[in-house]
Amino acid sequence: MRSLVQEGVKTIFGYPGGAIMPVFDALYRYTRGENKKFNHILVRHEQAAAHAAEGFARVSGEVGVCIVTSGPGATNTLTGVADAMMDSTPLVVIGGQVGTGALGTDAFQEVDLVGVAQPISKWSYQIRHPEDVAWAVSRAFYIARSGRPGPVVLDFPKNAQMQECEWEPVHVTSVRSYQPYPELDPAAVEAAAELINNAERPLALVGQGVELGNAHNELLEFLEKADIPAARTLLGLSALQTNHPLNMGMLGMHGSLAPNKKTQECDVLIAIGMRFSDRVTGLPSTYARQAKIIHLDIDRAEIDKNIKTDVAVVGDCKMSLPAVTRLLRKASHREWIDSFKPYQKEEEEMVIRPAIHPTEGPLLMGEVVNAVAEATKGDAVLVNDVGLNQMFSSRYFKYNKKRSIVTSGGLGTMGFGLPAAVGATFGVAGERQVCLFTGDGGFQMSIQELGTIMEQQAPVKMILLNNNYLGNVRQWQDLYYEHRHSFTNMLNPRYDLIAQGYGIPYDVAIDRADLQEKVAKMLAAEGPYLLECAVKNEEDLLPMTIPGRPVDEMSLEAEW
């Protein structure tokens, strides 16, 4: 507990059990009275502890912390650990373990946590002696938060929890062979600036690295000085304000038409804190082959991993962006920027307007998202689950502030949304509203966390987009499997009765005429609220770049 206090921890998500009871007994004394240092949030499932810690970390910029027991308690967190690893989220998971004398005997609730966690974490370590606790905790937080952030797993045998030693504070500031902040190569910076200065059609791709590096101002200075249009990845959506004139939309499979088209027309492509995932590049062999590619990233392992680059600037974008910007000439690319407009107009007419302003038929996901986005004026935090709800809400939400989107990007974890939204409410500490968009499938994967919301009165505004389908899988079944909906249609429960059982205010939106009023009522309510929206059963998400095709071959109409 002293070591956690030293690291500035104030919020812990957890679930007690036999092999972690000594830690929870110590935690008891640190959550009450004059000695209170922590706010402990009792989740209803250990996977939710990890996702809640992720949500907390993503909006606060701090390290998320969860404490669980051994065996199934620890393995339940591993989906969250893998999710955090894929999305570069700083996390420290402390798991109980059987005593060192019983290790390797298949003792009750024994699992080789270090071995299992190693390939999906930034560091995993077993604390076998009490005198190692202070060092291990400090090192864990240093590794989790430094450089490219990520999850760390500490395995804590029960006998080491119960033994005594004199506590001496340790402050780890370096780890041998670990260089979290690479030194900038001046030659690479100069080469990048030269390419940009000579570019006629530059395009910037903005990723979450800008958010993680707190380089929002540096990004604006870079883009505005060289007049470079920019598109954002899913995780980087709030790195640049929605209404910024240089913002051209979202990249990728379900992103905006214009930037995906222009990726194949630009002459210099500048990737900033993003990893060229398959959902962004489409068919890699055809990706931006006409362009010189500059890649700014803190992680050297990402350079040339998916897309071959011409210039790599390895370093924290908080440092690399200003270094490049200083060498840039003031430029104007008005004709190039204007060339995005026909594609924007085409998508507006064929996709966006019908999605957010329909005039007949059942409610659509896009119009529900738009109603909430308009009502919150771009100041809320968006949390979503995975599937159609994720893409519709990410596309049509508005982002005025940094750290405004919490989503499971790389791993695509259904059930992520509800616990992550709980964590996000503690991360924003009442300063911003947290709006969760979830589908009926993902919602039921973590529905037990309504108990956490009930106990904590966590003010999550839950918007349940209920289409009685696993909608994203159903769309792919239409595309690839001749409309055979194999086990994607869902028989759903009475969500009003479930909300009533947890004492959470509930309403349902069915008619378009009532939508804005019901959204306003939800947002005005204190505490948590569940708004179920009965949306079209078989609504398709467009545009879409079909896998295996070049990124610019986007379908604006369903080809299935």
Side-chain angles (χ1 to χ4, degrees):
M1 296 305 113
R2 290 177 181 177
S3 297
L4 293 177
V5 170
Q6 179 177 279
E7 296 299 329
V9 175
K10 294 182 176 61
T11 304
I12 298 171
F13 304 90
Y15 203 97
I20 198 67
M21 275 198 287
V23 169
F24 268 86
D25 186 56
L27 178 62
Y28 180 89
R29 297 190 293 274
Y30 278 77
T31 56
R32 283 162 173 78
E34 295 181 359
N35 195 41
K36 181 174 181 178
K37 302 293 184 182
F38 306 122
N39 186 20
H40 178 266
I41 314 304
L42 176 66
V43 296
R44 299 310 191 256
H45 191 287
E46 291 93 351
Q47 182 173 331
H51 292 326
E54 285 186 273
F56 174 87
R58 294 272 280 274
V59 299
S60 69
E62 301 173 14
V63 178
V65 180
C66 56
I67 304 177
V68 297
T69 194
S70 66
T75 58
N76 279 344
T77 68
L78 292 179
T79 296
V81 171
D83 193 277
M85 189 68 177
M86 290 282 278
D87 288 349
S88 303
T89 304
L91 204 65
V92 170
V93 175
I94 300 171
Q97 181 59 279
V98 302
T100 54
L103 290 172
T105 67
D106 292 332
F108 179 66
Q109 292 190 336
E110 180 195 358
V111 166
D112 179 8
L113 180 59
V114 171
V116 175
Q118 195 166 22
I120 56 170
S121 63
K122 205 173 170 188
W123 184 53
S124 59
Y125 180 77
Q126 187 173 81
I127 307 173
R128 290 187 168 219
H129 307 285
E131 56 268 26
D132 294 335
V133 168
W135 169 84
V137 170
S138 181
R139 181 179 167 118
F141 276 81
Y142 172 70
I143 291 174
R145 64 164 64 104
S146 61
R148 181 179 182 175
V152 170
V153 175
L154 294 178
D155 189 38
F156 202 2
K158 193 169 183 179
N159 62 297
Q161 298 175 39
M162 299 177 70
Q163 293 165 359
E164 293 185 355
C165 70
E166 290 295 325
W167 181 75
E168 294 183 10
V170 177
H171 187 54
V172 173
T173 58
S174 65
V175 174
R176 188 176 62 182
S177 76
Y178 172 54
Q179 187 180 10
Y181 303 102
E183 187 175 342
L184 288 179
D185 179 359
V189 171
E190 291 175 8
E194 183 177 2
L195 281 178
I196 297 169
N197 281 331
N198 293 324
E200 296 180 357
R201 302 182 306 280
L203 176 62
L205 312 182
V206 179
Q208 189 192 198
V210 173
E211 297 256 52
L212 297 174
N214 293 309
H216 304 84
N217 293 334
E218 290 79 3
L219 174 69
L220 286 177
E221 292 172 7
F222 169 80
L223 296 176
E224 291 171 356
K225 183 175 183 180
D227 199 30
I228 300 175
R232 305 154 300 159
T233 66
L234 174 65
L235 292 177
L237 282 174
S238 61
L240 184 65
Q241 288 185 339
T242 299
N243 62 359
H244 193 283
L246 291 174
N247 175 24
M248 298 298 152
M250 185 172 85
L251 293 164
M253 177 182 287
H254 293 295
S256 304
L257 178 64
N260 282 343
K261 287 282 189 181
K262 292 299 179 178
T263 294
Q264 306 296 70
E265 298 178 23
C266 66
D267 59 0
V268 174
L269 192 70
I270 310 111
I272 307 167
M274 54 88 73
R275 57 187 181 87
F276 290 113
S277 80
D278 58 298
R279 291 299 172 101
V280 164
T281 63
L283 185 62
S285 62
T286 65
Y287 184 78
R289 296 183 68 181
Q290 80 294 337
K292 295 291 186 181
I293 296 178
I294 302 167
H295 194 176
L296 282 68
D297 204 282
I298 198 170
D299 188 354
R300 194 179 300 275
E302 291 296 343
I303 305 300
D304 295 334
K305 186 177 80 174
N306 296 326
I307 297 296
K308 178 68 176 175
T309 58
D310 295 280
V311 177
V313 182
V314 180
D316 187 345
C317 60
K318 184 81 170 176
M319 305 297 293
S320 60
L321 276 172
V324 174
T325 303
R326 281 192 291 270
L327 301 179
L328 295 182
R329 295 191 294 267
K330 184 73 175 175
S332 174
H333 296 104
R334 182 50 44 199
E335 184 177 348
W336 165 239
I337 292 171
D338 286 344
S339 72
F340 284 71
K341 292 179 180 178
Y343 292 125
Q344 293 171 331
K345 182 179 179 181
E346 184 180 5
E347 183 179 353
E348 175 72 27
E349 292 176 352
M350 294 189 64
V351 177
I352 298 175
R353 195 175 301 152
I356 67 176
H357 295 302
T359 57
E360 58 184 9
L363 285 174
L364 300 181
M365 291 190 183
E367 71 173 311
V368 175
V369 174
N370 184 64
V372 178
E374 293 290 338
T376 54
K377 297 180 172 57
D379 292 333
V381 172
L382 167 68
V383 185
N384 49 32
D385 208 84
V386 168
L388 294 186
N389 68 88
Q390 178 185 32
M391 292 294 101
F392 273 110
S393 59
S394 298
R395 276 178 57 85
Y396 296 120
F397 212 67
K398 305 291 192 299
Y399 309 96
N400 286 344
K401 299 180 178 179
K402 63 182 181 180
R403 296 188 176 274
S404 291
I405 180 168
V406 180
T407 191
S408 175
L411 201 63
T413 307
M414 286 185 68
F416 170 89
L418 189 58
V422 173
T425 63
F426 289 94
V428 299
E431 295 180 2
R432 302 173 67 188
Q433 282 194 318
V434 174
C435 296
L436 166 68
F437 286 88
T438 180
D440 40 319
F443 189 62
Q444 291 182 82
M445 281 195 173
S446 54
I447 199 168
Q448 76 282 342
E449 296 311 310
L450 292 175
T452 307
I453 290 175
M454 172 186 67
E455 182 173 343
Q456 300 294 332
Q457 282 300 293
V460 182
K461 308 306 181 187
M462 297 167 276
I463 302 97
L464 172 59
L465 301 173
N466 188 355
N467 60 4
N468 296 289
Y469 266 105
L470 298 176
N472 203 35
V473 183
R474 187 273 311 154
Q475 181 169 327
W476 283 58
Q477 287 173 334
D478 289 346
L479 175 61
Y480 286 113
Y481 299 99
E482 298 177 335
H483 298 264
R484 291 187 295 275
H485 297 166
S486 180
F487 302 101
T488 46
N489 186 237
M490 299 193 75
L491 177 63
N492 282 318
R494 287 274 303 274
Y495 292 111
D496 59 331
L497 298 181
I498 291 174
Q500 181 182 348
Y502 284 104
I504 295 173
Y506 166 93
D507 201 354
V508 60
I510 299 174
D511 297 323
R512 182 162 291 113
D514 300 331
L515 179 61
Q516 288 188 340
E517 178 185 345
K518 290 179 181 289
V519 167
K521 179 182 176 184
M522 172 190 69
L523 295 174
E526 292 186 10
Y529 199 99
L530 175 59
L531 177 62
E532 180 181 2
C533 298
V535 296
K536 182 179 178 180
N537 291 125
E538 297 186 32
E539 182 179 2
D540 288 321
L541 175 61
L542 294 165
M544 181 179 186
T545 298
I546 295 174
R549 294 186 184 179
V551 68
D552 60 326
E553 291 187 12
M554 296 199 81
S555 299
L556 299 183
E557 297 178 296
E559 299 181 11
W560 45 91

